[in-house]
Every structure is written in C-alpha cells, then in structure tokens.
C-alpha cells in the first residue's frame, strides 16, 4: 500500500522569527527547553541545527505517510520541515543527516522525549490531540512489585523463570484476576510495564489483579503457535503461579501478547478451550498464505498452517477477545480481516486501531485499555 506523503506547511511565524534573531547555539538551548519538534496549533516542525547537505525524518511505521525533507532556513545552519501530523498520532522517528558523503541516522538532538526498543532509542513526536494514558506517567516506587518464580517444565526439559506481579495495597485471593503476559520482561524494559500496571491499580482504573510475565528462550519457535508452549502455559505455568500466589483456579484468566506473542496467546487458548476467559491480541502476526506461503518469510510457515487449521475449526478460544493493531503497521490489514473469523468462532471481539506503529509503548497503552475494559475499574 502506497501512502501519500504529508504536504509541507508554512513554517510558523514565531519559529521563523526566532531563527532569524537567535544564534544557533542559543536556538538549540531554547528548542531543547521548549521541547522539539516545535508545535504551533495543529502543525509540527522538525528542526535540525548544524552542518548538513540533506536532512530527513525516518519513521518506523510501514504505512505512515512520508515526511518531507527538511529545508535550510534562508542562509542559516537551521533546517526545518513543517507538517500536520495525523490526529492523535504517536510517531517514533530518527533524523537522517547527510553531510560530505556520509549519512548518520541519529536521535533528534533537540527532543528529550524518547522510546526504547531492542534496536536502540527513538525520538517521539505526537500529533494534535494525543495524550499519554494517565496511568503511564506516575512511575513505580515498588522495586519488589515483580517476583521471580522458577517453573519446572517437563515439556521443555528444564526449568523456566517467570515474573509474577502482585498488585499494590491489595491482597491476592481466589477472586483476584490473573493476566498472562507474553514477552513480559521486554515490556518492562522497553515500555516500563511495571509502572503502568501499578498506575492502573493505584489510579483505580482497574481492580487489583495479578500477572505472570513470560519470557521465551526460542521465541520464533515457541511463539509460532507451538503446541509445546500451549501445554507449558496451561499444564505447568498456571499451577506453579497459582501455588506461588496461594490461590486456587477460579479467578478471571486473561492471556495477552503482542506480535508473535499474540499468535502464542491465541494458539494457547485455542488448544485449551475453556481455560481463558479473555484474550488481548495486539498487532498480531496473523499472516495467511494470501500472496504466497513465503510472502513474509519461512518463519511464518507454522503461523500460516495454524491460521488455516484455526479457520477450519469451530473451537471458540475465549468468550471475549480485545484486539488492537496500529493504523500505520503493515499488519493492520491482516488483523482487520481476522476479526470476522474470530466472531464466526463465537467470540465477542473488540477491535481498535491506535494511530501508532509496531511499538512497545503502543502495546503497553493498548494492554492497559484492554484491562480497563475486561477487568473493569477498582
């Protein structure tokens, strides 16, 4: 799918005047303090100060419209491009600076707002109307919020260590909902999930719940609809975690995951019907053979086989399924077309498309929204 580029808008008068009046070093300080990119009503101006031949904005979203190259402002060393970012968009980006035959891809030096992913640090910009969820900004003061629990596994032939999250200021009992979260440690590392979970509970957005954070050893094998992974979760992980929490098996049970973790969540529930009450499937890698069995590479062959087996079955994986996929992801079409398949299997499906990409912070935000809907406020 080809997305039309964002049109270039006039540079805001206030910024243009500031560039003309200020020395480059002072302008850098002022923009750093004020926060870059420069926002003026519903326009956003990306700014680079320094020697360059070409400066561009690289976004990490397959379907996001291209942002025009920055242009040198008059005869200064300041480069700008002004656009109208989509409503409520959250954009992770880097600047590409070409100078004297070399191209450097860098974090925006003027923007203190950043996000982590396994490949490093990205700068973050917001479109008009975007507000981070209130439960993501408080920070957690509980270093012991997540315990480490060893789970003996006959399925994998070795023990697995998982994280067990206990809610703040609340005892865990047989009525406390339990959430199984795939790629849990990565969500803690790249999206501060621990603080977000505390914020959900302490803010009264969600009733107190416990969670188990799963980390794979061989992700591309375990999370591609593996029967072994499904057996481990239901037959070994859940009993061990319930024992650690000192609870029985009658609580609301939610299984959540993003990308391949969403495939693992769905496959685990489908292979064990009636175990999970709810599923949270975020940016699921629900690829099919449309366009050829290798259209997304050999890795997805077992996913394609699972999708075909799932579609041909009548098993309901869970009563309620909460789905989200970023509007600017290459997976958005796959997720849209999968919704009616899940409905046909008897599940009540809620589907959202945040104005974001295949990013950890987006998954954290959507996971929180899902828990608010599925578990309900405290």
């Amino acid at each position: 799918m080809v997305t039309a580029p964002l049109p270039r808008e006039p540079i805001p008068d206030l910024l243009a005047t500031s560039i003309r009046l200020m020395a480059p070093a002072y302008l850098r300080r002022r923009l750093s303090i004020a926060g870059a990119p420069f926002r003026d009503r519903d326009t956003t101006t990306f700014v680079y100060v320094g020697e360059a031949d070409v400066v561009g904005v690289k976004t990490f979203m397959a379907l996001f419209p291209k942002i025009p190259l920055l242009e040198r402002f008059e005869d200064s060393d300041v480069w700008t491009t002004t656009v109208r970012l989509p409503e409520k968009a959250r954009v992770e980006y880097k600047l590409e600076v070409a100078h004297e035959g070399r191209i450097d891809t860098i974090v925006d030096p003027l923007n203190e707002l950043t996000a982590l992913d396994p490949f490093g640090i990205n700068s973050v910009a917001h479109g008009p109307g975007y507000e981070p969820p209130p439960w993501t900004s408080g920070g957690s003061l509980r270093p012991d919020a997540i315990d480490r629990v060893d789970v003996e596994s006959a399925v994998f032939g070795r023990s697995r260590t998982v994280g067990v999250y206990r809610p703040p200021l609340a005892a865990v009992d047989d009525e406390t909902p339990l959430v199984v979260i795939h790629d849990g440690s990565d969500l803690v590392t790249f999206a501060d999930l621990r603080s977000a979970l505390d914020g959900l509970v302490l803010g009264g957005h969600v009733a107190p719940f416990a969670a188990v954070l799963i980390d794979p050893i061989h992700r591309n094998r375990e999370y591609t609809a593996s029967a072994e992974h499904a057996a481990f979760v239901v037959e070994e992980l859940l009993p061990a975690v319930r024992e650690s929490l000192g609870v029985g098996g009658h609580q609301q049970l939610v299984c959540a995951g993003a990308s391949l973790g969403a495939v693992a969540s769905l496959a685990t529930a489908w292979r064990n019907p009636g175990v999970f009450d709810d599923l949270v499937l975020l940016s699921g890698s629900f690829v099919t053979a449309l366009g050829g069995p290798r259209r997304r590479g050999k890795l997805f062959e077992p996913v394609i086989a699972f999708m075909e087996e799932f579609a041909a079955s009548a098993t309901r994986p869970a009563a309620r399924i909460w789905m989200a996929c970023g509007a600017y992801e290459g997976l958005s079409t796959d997720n849209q077309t999968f919704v009616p398949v899940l409905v046909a299997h008897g599940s009540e499906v809620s589907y959202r498309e945040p104005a974001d990409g295949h990013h950890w912070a987006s998954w954290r935000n959507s996971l929180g929204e899902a828990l608010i809907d599925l578990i309900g406020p405290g």
Side-chain angles (χ1 to χ4, degrees), residues 187 258-259 282-283 329 357-368:
L187 278 163
S259 195
L282 309 175
S283 302
E329 299 189 44
H358 204 74
H359 297 141
W360 293 91
S362 178
W363 297 332
R364 174 205 60 200
N365 294 351
S366 290
L367 175 60

Side-chain angles (χ1 to χ4, degrees), residues 266 281 310 317 321 323 338-349:
L266 177 65
L281 309 178
F310 179 89
I321 299 178
M323 296 178 68
F338 192 41
V339 170
V341 177
L342 293 168
V343 172
H345 280 64
S347 296
E348 176 187 329
V349 181

Side-chain angles (χ1 to χ4, degrees), residues 93-95 105-111 113-114 120-123:
Y93 72 96
K94 282 189 170 77
L95 296 180
T105 302
I106 62 172
V107 173
D108 187 340
L110 302 177
N111 187 355
L113 186 59
T114 58
I121 303 174
N122 296 326
S123 298

Side-chain angles (χ1 to χ4, degrees), residues 70-116:
L70 281 70
E71 294 181 338
R72 186 188 295 275
F73 183 82
E74 298 177 353
D75 60 350
S76 70
D77 288 335
V78 180
W79 300 71
T80 71
T81 190
T82 302
V83 295
R84 298 178 190 271
L85 293 178
E87 184 75 15
K88 296 184 179 179
R90 181 185 169 279
V91 182
E92 295 194 16
Y93 72 96
K94 282 189 170 77
L95 296 180
E96 293 184 312
V97 182
H99 184 53
E100 296 181 345
R102 172 176 172 171
I103 300 177
D104 293 318
T105 302
I106 62 172
V107 173
D108 187 340
L110 302 177
N111 187 355
E112 294 185 352
L113 186 59
T114 58
L116 291 172

Side-chain angles (χ1 to χ4, degrees), residues 268-290:
T268 297
W270 178 75
R271 295 184 189 279
N272 298 277
V275 172
F276 292 95
D277 301 288
D278 308 298
L279 297 180
V280 181
L281 309 178
L282 309 175
S283 302
S285 300
F286 300 126
V287 302
T288 66
L290 294 175

Side-chain angles (χ1 to χ4, degrees), residues 5-26:
L6 293 175
R8 188 188 302 277
E9 302 288 339
I11 184 172
D13 291 338
L14 178 61
L15 181 59
T17 300
S18 298
I19 296 172
R20 293 188 181 104
L21 295 177
M22 296 180 188
Y26 186 58

